[in-house]
Amino acid sequence: MTWDDMQPLLWQATQETYQMVGIATLVTLLLGLPLGLLLVLTEKGGLLQNRPVNKVVGAIVNVGRSLPFVILLVALIPFTRWVVGTTIGWQAATVPLAVGAIPFFARLVESAVRGVDKGLVEAVHAMGGGTWAVVRKALLPEALPALVSALTTTVIALVGYSAMAGTVGGGGLGNLAITYGYMRFETSFMVVIVIELVILVTLVQLLGDLVVRRLSRRGAPTGRWARARRADDAAPTAAPAG
């Protein structure tokens, strides 16, 4: 197969991969971020401490993470058909991609948010901030570099999942690799697809690392609440009377 024959097929498959990964990433971010925050807030000693809720949410996340993606593809066929009206093509593959990535990202969010300095939470409380203020002014801003790193890892995982979905009719580069590279023994086609996937993953990782470096402040807290805390720590202690 010549390059002229491969180019239109590659272009269409690349678009399908970008679409399914992009939509799945957006859904994962919108649902996985609050789910990860809920795990932190409802744990023992959390701002919304609720052990039953934490146990139930944690169990759901663990089950979602433990299922191999191929099994998830099959198990979600009825749900996928209900959501998008079909079980074939990149639109159908987007559903299990998002469902599989949400618990994965939620655990990464949980780990990132737990790393925030507890003193910042106390500073927000001292200034009259409630739970929402703690999340918006302390937890999310301070965990942002770690959250971006978590999202980068999730996107790379989604690229791999999307290629796997292509093996069962999910469209994208994975489907092209199976249809032409494997079934039709087009080795050159397979090599081109592998190189494209490697380049895509590398670019995602480089972009994520760049954003993380720019967001990082060498580990120093940032934002109005952090400045208030530093000012409070730097305030001189009154000498005892007498």
Side-chain angles (χ1 to χ4, degrees):
M1 181 176 288
T2 65
W3 173 248
D4 290 337
D5 296 327
M6 287 191 289
Q7 190 172 5
L9 296 173
L10 278 172
W11 174 244
Q12 180 180 353
T14 300
Q15 284 184 309
E16 291 177 352
T17 296
Y18 287 170
Q19 287 172 320
M20 72 174 82
V21 172
I23 295 175
T25 298
L26 179 60
V27 174
T28 299
L29 181 61
L30 293 177
L31 298 181
L33 180 60
L35 191 61
L37 287 170
L38 184 63
L39 286 170
V40 175
L41 295 175
T42 58
E43 67 183 356
K44 185 177 180 180
L47 297 173
L48 300 174
Q49 179 175 324
N50 191 316
R51 295 296 296 278
V53 171
N54 187 266
K55 292 294 184 183
V56 171
V57 175
I60 294 173
V61 169
N62 289 337
V63 170
R65 291 182 61 200
S66 64
L67 291 176
F69 184 67
V70 174
I71 295 178
L72 194 64
L73 279 170
V74 178
L76 290 177
I77 284 177
F79 180 68
T80 300
R81 185 181 291 113
W82 178 74
V83 173
V84 297
T86 182
T87 58
I88 300 176
W90 71 265
Q91 297 92 337
T94 302
V95 176
L97 278 175
V99 172
I102 287 170
F104 176 79
F105 182 61
R107 283 299 185 191
L108 295 179
V109 170
E110 179 188 18
S111 177
V113 173
R114 276 181 176 168
V116 175
D117 187 354
K118 298 297 183 182
L120 295 175
V121 176
E122 296 173 359
V124 176
H125 275 306
M127 298 180 70
T131 301
W132 173 240
V134 170
V135 172
R136 190 165 58 93
K137 299 293 186 178
L139 296 182
L140 290 181
E142 299 307 318
L144 191 55
L147 290 174
V148 172
S149 180
L151 185 62
T152 301
T153 301
T154 303
V155 172
I156 291 174
L158 282 171
V159 172
Y161 288 163
S162 71
M164 195 181 304
T167 64
V168 291
L173 292 170
N175 183 62
L176 204 63
I178 291 296
T179 303
Y180 289 89
Y182 177 72
M183 293 183 177
R184 300 188 183 183
F185 304 102
E186 294 285 351
T187 305
S188 58
F189 213 164
M190 181 73 80
V191 170
V192 171
I193 293 172
V194 170
I195 292 175
E196 183 175 355
L197 287 172
V198 170
I199 293 174
L200 175 59
V201 169
T202 302
L203 290 176
V204 170
Q205 187 65 63
L206 289 175
L207 179 61
D209 291 344
L210 176 62
V211 174
V212 169
R213 284 196 298 270
R214 292 195 174 186
L215 290 173
S216 297
R217 295 294 184 270
R218 299 179 183 179
T222 59
R224 182 165 64 93
W225 301 102
R227 290 195 298 270
R229 178 181 171 230
R230 287 198 297 269
D232 182 66
D233 291 341
T237 303

